[in-house]
Amino acid sequence: MSDPPSDPSEPLRGLLEVPDIARELGGLFQQAGYQLYLVGGAVRAALLGRSGTDLDFATDARPPHITALLQEWADARYLVGVRFGTVGARKGEHLLEITTFREDVYVEDSRRPHVTFAKDIETDLSRRDFTINAMAVRLPDGEFVDPFRGLYDLAHKTLRTPLEPEVSFSDDPLRMLRAARFVSTLGMKPTDEVLAAIDGMRDRLEIVSAERIRDELS
């Protein structure tokens, strides 16, 4: 019997298979001179050996350029989220969301985030909710990007924020409810710092719309 790997995250690495459609889209962006990364839940799901048809991407291209690149390639485009930097598309059975690198920050009493575009993938990942969602795969070459040790946390079922949890939950208070979702669906265990921040900041949920809270609970 072989010895177990010294790094518990090692078994997860072999399960990372990027969908062909993601590499194809990455080649399209690369030819146009832009960066494209598979990000968020799609990366986490791939590491866990799960597949899906909903894929999220991050890019340095701005929405007008994204829209132009998708014009001939995608079966359909959706511009509902374009003012927040997101262009949606459908290609075959896949639903895609391509978002310009960004930072989302809620002002003190606003229910809507103020969107500022970022310049690089590391900044974009730093503003995401938890480290397990702050991993990326550069396309089309498949380089794994994990500046906040999300793979390690996924292997250890640890729920941790890329930045201080007070910063993360101030950026988007709904993330406090999302923490509960990851505990119930993935068996994650929040760090003491995450729990303390939720306890101290739960009143911030008052600025989040009822619709967003409903969707998270659903």
Side-chain angles (χ1 to χ4, degrees), residues 132-196:
I132 60 171
N133 291 327
M135 300 177 283
V137 178
R138 189 172 71 181
L139 300 168
D141 61 30
E143 178 189 352
F144 185 58
V145 181
D146 185 17
F148 302 101
R149 301 184 73 200
L151 181 60
Y152 182 89
D153 287 343
L154 184 62
H156 288 80
K157 293 189 176 295
T158 299
L159 196 63
R160 187 169 55 87
T161 54
L163 303 179
E164 294 297 321
E166 291 80 6
V167 174
S168 180
F169 299 152
S170 180
D171 280 356
D172 185 352
L174 190 65
R175 292 169 174 175
M176 292 184 276
L177 285 183
R178 196 168 299 148
R181 173 158 65 88
F182 288 136
V183 169
S184 65
T185 60
L186 296 178
M188 306 298 293
K189 181 179 179 181
T191 64
D192 291 342
E193 292 79 9
V194 166
L195 289 175

Side-chain angles (χ1 to χ4, degrees), residues 60-107:
D60 59 342
R62 295 298 176 96
H65 303 135
I66 299 171
T67 304
L69 283 170
L70 296 176
Q71 184 171 358
E72 299 296 332
W73 182 82
D75 297 330
R77 296 173 299 171
Y78 309 102
L79 305 180
V80 175
V82 71
R83 63 194 177 111
F84 297 117
T86 298
V87 177
R90 178 176 54 81
K91 178 77 169 178
E93 64 176 352
H94 289 88
L95 292 177
L96 318 172
E97 285 195 352
I98 302 101
T99 303
T100 305
F101 298 153
R102 71 185 188 186
E103 303 175 55
D104 289 353
V105 179
Y106 275 82
V107 296

Side-chain angles (χ1 to χ4, degrees), residues 15-94:
L15 296 176
L16 181 56
E17 296 184 4
V18 177
D20 291 340
I21 193 171
R23 294 188 186 275
E24 180 183 337
L25 185 60
L28 182 69
F29 273 69
Q30 184 182 63
Q31 290 174 10
Y34 296 112
Q35 302 171 46
L36 187 73
Y37 294 84
L38 184 68
V39 295
V43 177
R44 185 188 71 243
L47 287 166
L48 293 173
R50 303 169 184 174
S51 61
T53 56
D54 291 359
L55 302 175
D56 293 329
F57 302 86
T59 179
D60 59 342
R62 295 298 176 96
H65 303 135
I66 299 171
T67 304
L69 283 170
L70 296 176
Q71 184 171 358
E72 299 296 332
W73 182 82
D75 297 330
R77 296 173 299 171
Y78 309 102
L79 305 180
V80 175
V82 71
R83 63 194 177 111
F84 297 117
T86 298
V87 177
R90 178 176 54 81
K91 178 77 169 178
E93 64 176 352
H94 289 88

